Amino acid sequence: MSELLKTIESPAGLRAMSPQQLPALAEELRAYLLESVAKTGGHLSSNLGTVELTIALHYVFDTPADRIVWDVGHQTYAHKILTGRRDAMASLRQAGGISGFPRREESEYDAFGTAHSSTSISAALGMAIAARQRGETRHAIAVIGDSAMTGGMAFEALNHAGVIEDIRLLVVLNDNDMSISPAVGALNRYLARLMSGGFYAAAKNVGKQMLRPLPPLFELARKFESHAKGMVVPATLFEEFGFNYIGPIDGHDLGALVPTLQNLRQLTGPQFLHVVTRKGQGYKLAEADPVLYHGPGRFDPSVGIRKSTAAGAPSYTQVFGDWLCDIAAADSRIVGITPAMREGSGMVRFEREFPGRYFDVGIAEQHAVTLAAGMACEGLRPVVAIYSTFLQRGYDQLIHDVAIQNLPVAFALDRGGLVGADGATHHGAFDLSYLRCVPNLVVMAPADENECRAMLTTAVRHDGPAAVRYPRGSGLGVAIERDLVSLPIGAAELRRETGCPPGARIAILAFGSMVQPALAAAGPLDATVANMRFVKPLDAALLEKLARTHDALVTVEENVVMGGAGSACAELLAELGIEVPLLLLGLPDRFVDHGDTKQLLAAVGLDAAGIERSIRSRFAELLAPARRVKSVA
């Protein structure tokens, strides 16, 4: 390990260094970070870009007494290394290891748990107000990226903070002109319009006329103009919110960062520091392709990431992206909407082939949903491509703007179920519960990639709102039909029938990703398996038939049990007046931590072995030793 870095066990050790040692520390920290992430996988580009900023913040401020809130939090690896978790980086994002995001229970230096964007200013403002209320002089610092600033919540917080003069709040805008996908939105365009407006143009022309007789000064003014635009105009914007604006300054220049932060630490009232950084800084491959290196798996830093050419089952994300292009070619009403997740949602090809029908709204999930509602009102067929965990942020709009008006908006919900290393903040654990309670909404969960394609077609052709939730990762390798085929809404299918005699018959009602493990568990148990397909509406006829011909029912879903698909089955059985032993299997009533997805599913009993074990434990008396199997043709 490098000489300077190994001496730091906490920010106190960092603050004992001289300012002249900090650039060398930054180089050591960046090298260690690259080596560490290459071994474990994780977020890379964003972390390489915040090394100097992290050092400067901990060097100047008295952390943890002073609170640092990191927006999103996927840029906090340097922060973790400097706050006593250097050796723990070997366990990053692994089961039992440290999180890839800030977590309050992990360290006193993690002032606020984050993983979704645009929350930092609100949280830091709350901390600053609390300090004032308690008569404390500690500072609260929010570090927010330029793309996270597109979230309305960030501007709501700025609007509030700007009218509170006696607080110690610093907002640091980490401006790298990029989130995961390239940044979009009107903020930069607004600044450009302001710079080209009448006042700016008039002032510029007057200045030129006055300086033209003095060539040296005129040339200096001309050169200064391009630099001044970046400094004066953002100040106009943020100072209108009531902030004292400083910047922009080079976010990789510790000689500028440290004294600037030291000056700001002496001030009260809302302060705004604009720093410009570069994603992937110091690693040429990541600088050249920060999207590819945003969240890589394990790789050799000396070689870089090798793009696999091996044939295999496509991911569900790829299936969606191909389907969207196919359906758009067949129906001119189709438009695609994403809240800043072009790559993650599989819309790169769609943007290229249908640029006029592609809409990236920035990190603004609420706007994405209501935008789709407005489009649907005018005869378009919008498809909102959004992660399950991010749709939670647009839930009010889903109900009030889409469902109440029964508008034909299709939601493609990626990352349904457990997603692995990103952990509790990113698991799609709740969507079946929060969607199925909404009137007018059709909710589907595919068992494989071909069924996913058919369900997406069903959703976009339905004259009302519909959602298809599918898991992260590769499909099962089934053949994908190129035709755009719809499914009958509310129709399930039998995948396997029991050969057991009456008194020992068990039926497993499996939803989405749980169909395959349910089939594997059903073999040794000789159980019936139904691929339910629809969470809402349920196939009432099939459910009633299975309940009347079997001695016990088991529901399996990769969603929380509370209020989920199993609960829907129990409610329908109660409505039908049918009493049958019922076992509900799904995610537990707790937040599931990060780790390998297969290991996590096994830990919560949702792999084949766990499903079989739960059924044997609950219905041991029904399971006869001899079994007779009859497969569905």
Side-chain angles (χ1 to χ4, degrees):
M1 188 182 300
S2 304
E3 292 302 314
L4 291 173
L5 185 58
K6 71 180 181 181
T7 66
I8 298 177
E9 301 298 332
S10 73
L14 169 65
R15 291 190 281 269
M17 291 183 173
S18 68
Q20 292 73 28
Q21 291 177 293
L22 298 184
L25 174 64
E27 291 303 311
E28 293 182 12
L29 179 55
R30 181 169 279 110
Y32 183 81
L33 196 156
L34 176 59
E35 177 186 0
S36 177
V37 175
K39 292 178 180 177
T40 63
H43 295 100
L44 182 62
S45 298
S46 55
N47 283 289
L48 291 174
T50 55
V51 168
E52 287 84 2
L53 177 59
T54 304
I55 290 173
L57 287 170
H58 282 293
Y59 189 75
V60 172
F61 290 94
D62 185 22
T63 55
D66 290 329
R67 317 289 201 234
I68 302 178
V69 180
W70 302 87
D71 211 280
V72 182
H74 62 322
Q75 77 279 43
T76 54
Y77 294 1
H79 161 79
K80 288 175 181 279
I81 292 169
L82 294 175
T83 55
R85 288 166 280 182
R86 181 184 61 230
D87 296 338
M89 288 294 289
S91 68
L92 180 73
R93 294 165 30 109
Q94 300 170 32
I98 62 173
S99 170
F101 300 96
R103 297 181 66 178
R104 284 170 54 83
E105 61 267 35
E106 187 177 291
S107 170
E108 63 179 336
Y109 291 93
D110 291 358
F112 195 77
T114 55
H116 287 187
S117 78
S118 312
T119 63
S120 61
I121 304 176
S122 296
L125 175 59
M127 294 175 180
I129 292 174
R132 184 192 64 178
Q133 295 293 98
R134 299 173 61 175
E136 299 171 351
T137 58
R138 57 180 171 82
H139 292 75
I141 304 101
V143 183
I144 184 169
D146 56 303
S147 291
M149 286 294 293
T150 65
M153 186 175 175
F155 280 88
E156 292 172 17
L158 288 175
N159 186 56
H160 182 198
V163 299
I164 307 176
E165 297 180 355
D166 55 342
I167 55 171
R168 297 178 182 271
L169 173 70
L170 169 62
V171 175
V172 179
L173 173 60
N174 175 29
D175 182 358
N176 54 40
D177 198 31
M178 186 174 177
S179 54
I180 299 172
S181 302
V184 298
L187 184 56
N188 285 337
R189 293 181 183 179
Y190 163 75
L191 299 180
R193 286 198 306 271
L194 193 61
M195 286 186 289
S196 61
F199 175 79
Y200 179 83
K204 179 175 66 174
N205 289 332
V206 168
K208 285 182 177 180
Q209 293 299 322
M210 293 177 62
L211 294 174
R212 195 172 295 278
L214 304 171
L217 291 180
F218 177 80
E219 181 63 17
L220 177 63
R222 187 189 65 78
K223 291 181 178 180
F224 179 75
E225 179 184 345
S226 61
H227 299 284
K229 288 179 184 178
M231 290 182 282
V232 175
V233 179
T236 303
L237 174 65
F238 294 110
E239 287 184 354
E240 285 297 320
F241 279 103
F243 279 76
N244 175 41
Y245 173 92
I246 304 295
I249 65 173
D250 185 350
H252 301 297
D253 183 357
L254 284 161
L257 278 172
V258 169
T260 300
L261 288 171
Q262 288 172 333
N263 289 337
L264 288 170
R265 192 166 186 256
Q266 306 306 313
L267 304 177
T268 58
Q271 308 295 318
F272 195 102
L273 175 62
H274 184 173
V275 302
V276 178
T277 63
R278 183 175 186 179
K279 276 198 170 186
Q281 174 73 13
Y283 183 49
K284 296 300 182 183
L285 294 174
E287 289 178 8
D289 195 345
V291 172
L292 178 63
Y293 286 84
H294 168 72
R298 297 179 178 89
F299 70 100
D300 182 348
S302 64
V303 176
I305 298 173
R306 295 182 180 273
K307 296 182 180 180
S308 175
T309 58
S315 68
Y316 282 93
T317 301
Q318 182 181 338
V319 170
F320 164 75
D322 291 341
W323 166 84
L324 185 59
C325 292
D326 292 344
I327 196 75
D331 187 341
S332 62
R333 300 174 299 166
I334 300 296
V335 292
I337 301 170
T338 178
M341 295 301 294
R342 181 187 63 182
E343 286 79 13
S345 292
M347 298 183 74
V348 174
R349 179 187 158 201
F350 180 78
E351 181 197 20
R352 183 175 64 248
E353 296 185 9
F354 302 93
R357 294 155 67 181
Y358 167 80
F359 300 91
D360 185 341
V361 302
I363 303 175
E365 294 87 356
Q366 294 173 311
H367 168 58
V369 176
T370 304
L371 174 70
M375 291 175 168
C377 284
E378 299 303 321
L380 298 182
R381 289 287 175 144
V383 178
V384 180
I386 189 169
Y387 289 7
S388 165
T389 184
F390 297 150
L391 183 57
Q392 294 165 187
R393 309 186 81 177
Y395 191 55
D396 178 74
Q397 289 70 27
L398 171 70
I399 295 174
H400 285 262
D401 299 334
V402 175
I404 287 178
Q405 303 184 92
N406 200 27
L407 294 171
V409 176
F411 294 91
L413 301 189
D414 205 331
R415 272 64 167 180
L418 301 183
V419 299
D422 283 338
T425 55
H426 283 62
H427 293 321
F430 311 107
D431 53 69
L432 298 186
S433 299
Y434 72 68
L435 290 175
R436 78 171 191 85
C437 64
V438 179
N440 292 334
L441 188 63
V442 172
V443 184
M444 293 169 270
D448 57 53
E449 57 268 49
N450 186 55
E451 195 167 80
C452 183
R453 181 178 171 91
M455 287 182 175
L456 289 165
T457 303
T458 305
V460 84
R461 289 178 176 171
H462 174 59
D463 287 325
V468 181
R469 69 98 74 161
Y470 45 90
R472 181 181 188 178
S474 298
L476 303 179
V478 304
I480 298 178
E481 300 176 23
R482 304 318 304 175
D483 291 340
L484 296 167
V485 179
S486 299
L487 299 175
I489 290 180
E493 64 166 359
L494 282 177
R495 287 287 187 96
R496 186 185 194 280
E497 286 188 287
T498 181
C500 295
R505 293 176 176 171
I506 295 175
I508 305 175
L509 315 178
F511 293 84
S513 59
M514 290 292 100
V515 171
Q516 286 306 118
L519 285 168
L525 298 169
D526 191 8
T528 293
V529 176
N531 170 20
M532 296 302 290
R533 286 181 168 169
F534 290 83
V535 177
K536 184 179 183 179
L538 287 170
D539 190 332
L542 180 61
L543 180 58
E544 181 175 5
K545 176 184 176 182
L546 294 177
R548 296 193 186 281
T549 57
H550 291 72
D551 302 289
L553 300 181
V554 180
T555 65
V556 191
E557 61 191 297
E558 196 174 343
N559 184 82
V560 290
V561 170
M562 299 183 71
S567 295
C569 292
E571 292 164 11
L572 182 55
L573 290 170
E575 182 180 333
L576 294 171
I578 299 175
E579 294 185 12
V580 60
L582 181 62
L583 172 62
L584 309 184
L585 299 180
L587 298 178
D589 183 25
R590 60 177 173 83
F591 291 107
V592 178
D593 217 338
H594 54 270
D596 177 79
T597 302
K598 290 183 179 179
Q599 294 177 351
L600 294 179
L601 287 170
V604 296
L606 291 182
D607 60 348
I611 294 170
E612 180 184 351
R613 185 169 57 249
S614 295
I615 294 173
R616 287 190 182 279
S617 175
R618 174 70 178 275
F619 300 121
E621 71 283 0
L622 297 179
L623 299 173
R627 291 290 178 264
R628 181 167 51 87
V629 178
K630 174 186 173 185
S631 296
V632 175

